[in-house]
């Protein structure tokens, strides 16, 4: 991979059984000089074939398709061929399943041009970020080979399997927040609000996905929509029906659901 590859057009595949919706989306994307629409199709089996035959960065994928639905398309094509997936549908009934399938976004029809622009901008960031990471890995591989040949110091140990910092994409900048500074996390629709030091930051990923990346020795779910940094817990107060109130060091009060108490007790060493 070269620097020219990193700046190459974003290759997009459009898959939708509704021709008017597909055409309107295609027309919008055609005006973007950074995007190349490499194909359009209206059925699941054809989508699988195109994904396997062409390198695709982003796929706008309909949920309901002839032959197989969008989720089956992803499974048949395989993660190596699907790129960043943006599901499209007339309602949000499949949104949770879409994000569990690690979709980048979920777009409702009829399309709103401003919403499409935001989604496409996010897709571009995702693709470019992946290209930069791939280039970095390639360069590190070359450096490692060079070091081995010259009998230099061994490469550094592998990075921790858990997140060490969060990437905060804000208007006009990209900031970073150490995971150790996070007090608690709260689900907000298909995003996450990260609370740290009295400030709130929006993360563009589902809570379930973020939870899998956090160290379970430090972060624990206390409610279906809340994860807390156990090191911030100051006290617990009983409420009703086995539920508790969790109070953090800064005075924040959170609800602990009965079904999650055992995990928190174990992490805090509560007998």
């Amino acid at each position: 991979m070269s620097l020219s590859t990193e700046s190459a057009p974003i290759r997009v595949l459009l898959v939708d059984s509704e021709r008017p919706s597909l055409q309107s989306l295609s027309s919008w994307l055609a005006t973007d000089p950074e995007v190349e629409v490499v194909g359009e199709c209206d059925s699941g089996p054809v989508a699988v074939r195109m994904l396997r035959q062409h390198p695709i960065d982003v796929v706008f994928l309909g949920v309901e398709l002839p032959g197989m639905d969008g989720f089956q398309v992803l499974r048949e094509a395989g993660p190596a061929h699907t790129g960043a997936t943006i599901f499209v549908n007339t309602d949000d009934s499949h949104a949770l399943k879409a994000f569990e399938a690690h979709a980048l976004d979920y777009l409702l029809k009829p399309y709103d041009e401003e919403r499409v622009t935001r989604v496409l901008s996010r897709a571009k960031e995702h693709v470019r970020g992946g290209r930069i990471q791939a280039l970095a890995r390639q360069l590190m591989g070359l450096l490692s080979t060079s070091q081995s040949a010259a009998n230099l110091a061994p490469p550094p140990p592998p990075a921790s399997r858990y997140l060490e910092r969060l990437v905060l994409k804000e208007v006009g900048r990209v900031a970073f927040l150490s995971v150790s500074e996070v007090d608690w996390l709260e689900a907000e629709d298909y995003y996450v609000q990260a609370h740290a030091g009295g400030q709130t930051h929006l993360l563009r990923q589902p809570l379930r996905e973020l939870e899998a990346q956090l160290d379970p020795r430090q972060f624990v779910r206390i409610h279906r929509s809340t994860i807390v940094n156990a090191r911030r817990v100051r006290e617990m107060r009983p409420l009703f029906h086995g539920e508790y109130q969790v109070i953090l060091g800064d005075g924040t009060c959170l609800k602990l659901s009965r079904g999650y108490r055992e995990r928190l007790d174990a992490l805090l060493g509560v007998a």
Side-chain angles (χ1 to χ4, degrees):
M1 177 177 288
S2 65
L3 291 177
S4 60
T5 302
E6 189 276 322
S7 60
I10 308 297
R11 298 171 60 86
V12 177
L13 174 65
L14 305 180
V15 185
D16 195 342
S17 60
E18 297 182 359
R19 178 57 57 175
S21 297
L22 190 151
Q23 290 177 336
S24 66
L25 187 56
S26 178
S27 297
W28 279 332
L29 297 182
T31 63
D32 192 323
E34 298 178 315
V35 170
E36 178 185 358
V37 178
V38 298
E40 302 175 10
C41 61
D42 58 4
S43 75
V46 175
V48 172
R49 185 167 65 250
M50 294 187 72
L51 285 168
R52 288 175 174 173
Q53 291 177 346
H54 306 283
I56 302 296
D57 297 313
V58 179
V59 54
F60 286 82
L61 182 60
V63 173
E64 300 174 358
L65 299 168
M68 64 179 71
D69 66 25
F71 300 103
Q72 292 174 303
V73 168
L74 291 185
R75 289 193 296 269
E76 288 294 322
H81 299 285
T82 51
T85 303
I86 300 168
F87 276 101
V88 298
N89 200 28
T90 54
D91 58 54
D92 61 2
S93 58
H94 297 279
L96 179 58
K97 186 176 180 180
F99 284 103
E100 288 176 345
H102 305 294
L104 184 68
D105 217 315
Y106 191 95
L107 197 58
L108 293 178
K109 297 184 286 188
Y111 300 125
D112 173 82
E113 187 169 3
E114 182 178 350
R115 170 75 170 132
V116 171
T117 300
R118 292 201 306 270
V119 170
L120 184 59
S121 177
R122 186 181 176 209
K124 290 178 182 178
E125 291 181 3
H126 178 87
V127 172
R128 289 172 182 145
R131 289 176 177 177
I132 291 172
Q133 290 177 5
L135 178 59
R137 287 193 297 268
Q138 186 181 53
L139 293 175
M140 287 299 294
L142 293 173
L143 178 60
S144 177
T145 301
S146 175
Q147 287 178 332
S148 298
N151 196 26
L152 297 178
S160 169
R161 56 175 292 201
Y162 299 114
L163 275 182
E164 295 183 353
R165 63 178 184 174
L166 303 176
V167 180
L168 309 175
K169 296 179 181 179
E170 302 172 354
V171 178
R173 71 182 187 125
V174 176
F176 300 93
L177 175 67
S178 173
V179 169
S180 62
E181 297 178 33
V182 174
D183 300 321
W184 60 290
L185 300 156
E186 177 184 22
E188 180 69 24
D189 292 329
Y190 306 117
Y191 304 105
V192 173
Q193 288 188 349
H195 301 270
Q199 295 186 327
T200 301
H201 309 277
L202 188 65
L203 303 175
R204 300 179 181 276
Q205 67 181 125
L207 186 65
R208 182 189 297 272
E209 179 182 304
L210 180 59
E211 181 181 20
Q213 299 174 298
L214 297 173
D215 189 342
R217 297 167 298 180
Q218 182 176 358
F219 290 89
V220 61
R221 188 184 287 262
I222 63 172
H223 186 271
R224 61 183 178 84
S225 61
T226 309
I227 293 175
V228 69
N229 184 342
R231 297 173 185 173
R232 298 291 193 271
V233 177
R234 187 179 69 195
E235 61 178 297
M236 295 167 54
R237 297 177 183 175
L239 296 174
F240 302 99
H241 308 297
E243 295 183 340
Y244 274 72
Q245 188 177 57
V246 175
I247 302 175
L248 307 187
D250 63 359
T252 299
C253 296
L254 304 173
K255 181 180 179 180
L256 167 62
S257 296
R258 179 173 52 187
Y260 297 100
R261 181 185 169 187
E262 184 175 341
R263 293 174 59 189
L264 182 60
D265 284 351
L267 197 58
L268 296 177
V270 178

